[in-house]
Structure formats: structure tokens, C-alpha cells
Amino acid sequence: MIAVEGYQGLRVGVLGLGRSGLATCAALMEGGAEVCAWDDSPEAREKANAEGFGTVDLTKQGTVEGLDVLITSPGIPHLYPAPHPVIAAALAAGVPVDNDISLFFQALENRDEPPKVICVTGSNGKSTTTALIAHLLTVAGRDVRMAGNIGTGVLSIELPGEGGVVVLELSSYQTDLARRLAPDVAVFTNLSPDHLDRHGGMGGYFAAKKRLFTEGAPARAVIGVDEGEGQYLATQLAQSVDDTRVIRVSSGQKLNGPGWSVSARKGFLSEWRGGKQAHSIDLRPMAGLPGAHNHQNACAAYAAVRALGLAPRQIEAGLASFQGLPHRSQLIGEKDGVTFVNDSKATNVDSAAKALQAFPKIRWIAGGLGKEGGIAALTPHLGAVRKAYMIGHSARDFALQLGDTPHEICETMERAVARAAEEAEPGDVVLLAPAAASFDQYPNFEKRGEAFAALVQDLLGR
């Protein structure tokens, strides 16, 4: 745990008592703050009380006005579509509102030799890129901690030792509110529409991501430039075309200008500096990084650790040994020439499109609780789909948008896996890439992916 100093004797409200909220309470109390913890859920309050954090009803009129600062969890709206009542009361009373990411950077300010910090944001690929960066550094012998949106509250970690690195995945909710952002290396993977209700539209969503770079002023910025927003951000940060503080990253484009870039084309990663190729890596044999979207993740991770001084050969060894993350193009197994891949994290059409472009012959399992527009935007990416097997609440709606693509309404994961495996031929990939939320049948995408993996394991006889 990281003790947060600077709040000794102050009354600090903590709104939201999930994983990061409880870690925040502990870190503030360790630093001498008087913590007033609250969550709208009685179960969460009961857990907080059991762990020794006294709860105070921050919804009671006049309570928030007595706080010196309010720390809120990222899942709680602070502006759009409407602020949580406790946050609204804090804003009206002039009480500063902050989050645990900001407290983490504040804690580092008091360290004589703080660790290096790499922060990763973007729409898709954040988790894989974050985990890959941590893996590359670990393989190279560095002391690494990984936290943030990837699953560990940042204030619950122990800081690494000398020469260590903290790698953080940051969502737009986290970057939007943090009053302090000071990474050594910041990574922007890509941008596609998501969480627009929380940011008042696409402009607000991009602005939240951009704060990591404009407010954080990293020594190095790794920017995915396959979309217009990334190109704009890279040019806003660079002082000139050959400014090596900005490392441009692409999957599909050839980047070989006068600056510093890392790109992947036809399965080969290439690093260019000053118009000269510095290194090249064949990504095609690397089972943990299938498809162009993972090659973009590999480029971003390569650039981030190169910025910290890792040698290309060290990075290549780490890329080869990376096993991928669960539910993100995760190889479950193979039988009779048929491969089974779990990409349950593909909860929107953009991430599903990337998965559909990663394999040549696909038996596609999709569906769930569909989002606005359904899967109509996937029409250009269905060329490799031999047949689709639709599940969940939106199965029939999705089927109507498949055009001439062969399909079957299966409704359940059990039937979809059984039918896809029964009809699959050698060389086919049975791919779970739902393009939908999971909440109609599963509590989260992880449980959906676990259900798929368990069914496949039964088929494989494991």
C-alpha cells in the first residue's frame, strides 16, 4: 500500500467503495487523514465497515460541505449525463473533487527516487498493451508493478525498488478527473466511440483521453496515428517533424519519416529513427499477438519500453513469450485442425471488427445485449466468416443485419459452441467476439468468456 501524505488532519470523503475505493481509504488513513467513506450500496458499506473504515452518509444534507476534499471512484458520473448527488453537492460547495490516480502521482512527489511511470489510455487494446509492457519489462529484469483500470487499485500496490517501473492502464473516467497526471511515458492506442454519455459526446471523450498528454506533459508520448484524433494529438505535442519526444505508432501504415516511429505491416514490426530503419521483428509466429490489432498493441508496447532504454533484442524475446490476456484473442485450444479463440472483451463493433480481421476462416459466435446500431457497421468485415452463430438478447436483431452471411440463431452459448464445433472444418477458427455487452446472460464479459472456455475445454477432453 502507498501512504498518501498531505491530508493529515483533513476530513476527506471517499465516494465509491469498490476495489479502488477501499484502497484509497486505507492509503489516506495511513497518511493521517480523517476518512468519511460512503457507497450507495449497503453491501459495499458493510464490507467497508468490516475492514475498519467507518462510513458517513455523504448524501445527508450539509455533510459534504464539511469535507476538505472528495475522492470519487471512476465509475461514478461527475458531470455527464448528470453528476452523482454527492459530487453535485461538492461542486456547489466548492469542495475539490479528485481521484486515486491523482493521489498516486501526489504520493510520488514526496519520493527522492520515484519509479518510472508508464500510463496507457485509448479505446481498444489498453489492457493488452499495459500487460505487454509489464511483461516486456519483467522479462528484461526490471521490477514492475501493474495497476489501474486493468484490475488493481493503484494505491494498493507496493512501489517497486530501484530502477522499477509502474505501468498503469487508465480509462477516460480516470484521466478526465485526475488533478495530477505526471507519467514519464504516456501511450495513446486509438480512439473509437465509447462512453459518450459520460463525456457529453465524442469531443468530450477525446478531451478526457488527451488530458494525459496535455496536462501530464510526459517525457515521451507514444501515439497511435491510425485515426484522425491520434494524428492531431501527435502533431499538437511535437515541436517539429523530427521531434523524438513523440513516437508515432501504426498498424497498416508505413511510418518512416524523419522522427521516431514504430509500425507493423504484413506481420513485421519496424522501428524507424531519423529516416533510417533501426530494427525489425517478425510478429507472425507470436501466438499471443494474433491479428493487426494486436500488432498495433505490440508496436505501442515496443515504443514505450524503448523509451525507457530496453534493447530491441530484449523486447523481441519478451514479445515471443507473451501469452496474451484472458478474453482478448485468447487461444483456448485446438482439435482436429480447428482453433478456438476467446475474445469476449470484444464488446463493441470496433473491437469485434479487429477480431474478425485477425483470422482467415471464422465460425463466429456473437450476440448478447446489443448496443446502438447493432452490428451493421461490421458488414465490411464479414468476408472471413463462414457462418455466424447468434446468442443472447440481440440474436435475432443481429441476424437481420448479417446480409448474405450464413447464420443460425442459437440463443445460448452452449448450443453455439456445440454447433460451431460440429460444423467446423480443419483450418477454421471458432471465434467468440460478441460485439455486445454480456449483461443479458452473464454478469460481465469475463464470466461470458469463462463459460465459452469451459465448454471448449469439455470438447477438447481436458
Side-chain angles (χ1 to χ4, degrees):
M1 181 184 66
I2 300 171
V4 176
E5 300 174 352
Y7 295 91
Q8 187 172 5
L10 298 184
R11 201 160 188 257
V12 181
V14 177
L15 178 64
L17 300 176
R19 180 186 64 246
S20 65
L22 291 176
T24 299
C25 289
L28 285 164
M29 289 179 66
E30 184 69 17
E34 178 189 348
V35 172
C36 304
W38 180 255
D39 194 295
D40 292 337
S41 164
E43 293 79 12
R45 297 198 299 271
E46 183 177 342
K47 182 178 180 181
N49 285 322
E51 295 191 18
F53 308 124
T55 56
V56 175
D57 188 354
L58 296 179
T59 65
K60 187 177 179 180
Q61 188 172 2
T63 304
V64 170
E65 287 79 355
L67 299 177
D68 292 293
V69 64
L70 176 67
I71 308 299
T72 182
S73 293
I76 301 173
H78 59 271
L79 188 58
Y80 301 114
H84 185 281
V86 172
I87 297 178
L91 297 176
V95 175
V97 180
D98 210 343
N99 65 13
D100 63 330
I101 301 301
S102 182
L103 295 182
F104 165 76
F105 282 111
Q106 180 180 346
L108 293 190
E109 293 173 1
N110 299 321
R111 305 276 172 165
D112 292 334
E113 295 184 11
K116 296 291 186 182
V117 181
I118 300 177
C119 293
V120 180
T121 195
S123 296
N124 297 306
K126 297 189 300 296
S127 295
T128 296
T129 301
T130 300
L132 181 53
I133 290 170
H135 176 77
L136 295 175
L137 290 165
T138 300
V139 169
R142 303 290 283 271
D143 188 5
V144 180
R145 302 290 184 274
M146 183 171 67
N149 195 55
I150 201 165
T152 302
V154 65
L155 295 175
S156 67
I157 67 173
E158 296 291 338
L159 289 177
E162 184 177 352
V165 184
V166 177
V167 186
L168 302 180
E169 177 190 341
L170 299 183
S171 71
S172 57
Y173 299 169
Q174 292 168 313
T175 58
D176 194 21
L177 191 59
R179 295 162 67 91
R180 288 176 176 84
L181 290 166
D184 296 282
V185 179
V187 179
F188 176 86
T189 58
N190 50 55
L191 198 76
S192 61
D194 209 357
H195 311 306
L196 301 189
D197 60 327
R198 275 289 301 269
H199 298 292
M202 194 67 176
Y205 178 49
F206 179 45
K209 299 286 188 185
K210 190 169 64 171
R211 287 192 75 248
L212 180 62
F213 303 86
T214 55
E215 299 291 330
R220 288 268 194 264
V222 177
I223 310 293
V225 294
D226 287 334
E227 294 89 26
E229 291 87 353
Q231 295 169 6
Y232 172 82
L233 180 57
T235 56
Q236 286 288 298
L237 296 173
Q239 296 296 317
S240 62
V241 293
D242 58 354
D243 187 349
T244 57
R245 293 175 303 170
V246 176
I247 309 175
R248 290 171 170 81
V249 166
S250 173
S251 175
Q253 299 182 60
K254 185 177 181 181
L255 302 178
N256 56 1
W260 192 354
S261 65
V262 182
S263 58
R265 295 183 70 216
K266 299 180 180 179
F268 285 87
L269 178 152
S270 297
E271 177 189 2
W272 288 75
R273 287 205 213 188
K276 296 180 180 180
Q277 187 170 2
H279 197 73
S280 178
I281 297 175
D282 186 356
L283 298 174
R284 295 173 300 174
M286 299 179 182
L289 296 165
H293 61 303
N294 274 309
H295 292 175
Q296 184 190 52
N297 298 335
C299 289
Y302 178 100
V305 297
R306 281 290 279 146
L308 290 189
L310 263 64
R313 293 299 178 190
Q314 290 177 298
I315 301 171
E316 187 168 358
L319 291 172
S321 61
F322 183 65
Q323 297 299 309
L325 286 178
H327 318 301
R328 297 162 175 86
S329 296
Q330 178 191 14
L331 175 63
I332 302 300
E334 184 179 338
K335 184 176 183 179
D336 299 329
V338 178
T339 302
F340 296 84
V341 175
N342 167 24
D343 204 342
S344 183
K345 184 61 169 67
T347 58
N348 57 43
V349 294
D350 187 70
S351 52
K354 290 178 169 60
L356 290 171
Q357 294 173 73
F359 307 100
K361 298 177 182 179
I362 298 172
R363 302 277 172 177
W364 179 34
I365 299 175
L369 192 60
K371 299 183 178 180
E372 185 177 352
I375 57 170
L378 290 176
T379 301
H381 308 295
L382 300 179
V385 177
R386 304 191 72 176
K387 185 174 178 179
Y389 305 82
M390 298 287 103
I391 65 172
H393 177 271
S394 298
R396 286 169 173 78
D397 291 337
F398 279 15
L400 293 173
Q401 297 178 308
L402 288 171
D404 296 331
T405 302
H407 63 272
E408 181 177 335
I409 305 295
C410 294
E411 295 187 345
T412 66
M413 184 73 76
E414 290 80 1
R415 178 166 176 78
V417 171
R419 291 291 296 140
E422 179 183 331
E423 296 184 343
E425 301 173 358
D428 285 356
V429 174
V430 176
L431 171 68
L432 172 65
S438 61
F439 307 124
D440 57 331
Q441 295 178 315
Y442 302 94
N444 50 52
F445 74 84
E446 291 96 341
K447 292 298 182 184
R448 177 172 60 190
E450 289 168 8
F452 172 80
L455 291 165
V456 171
Q457 298 287 8
D458 287 344
L459 283 173
L460 299 177
R462 296 180 183 175

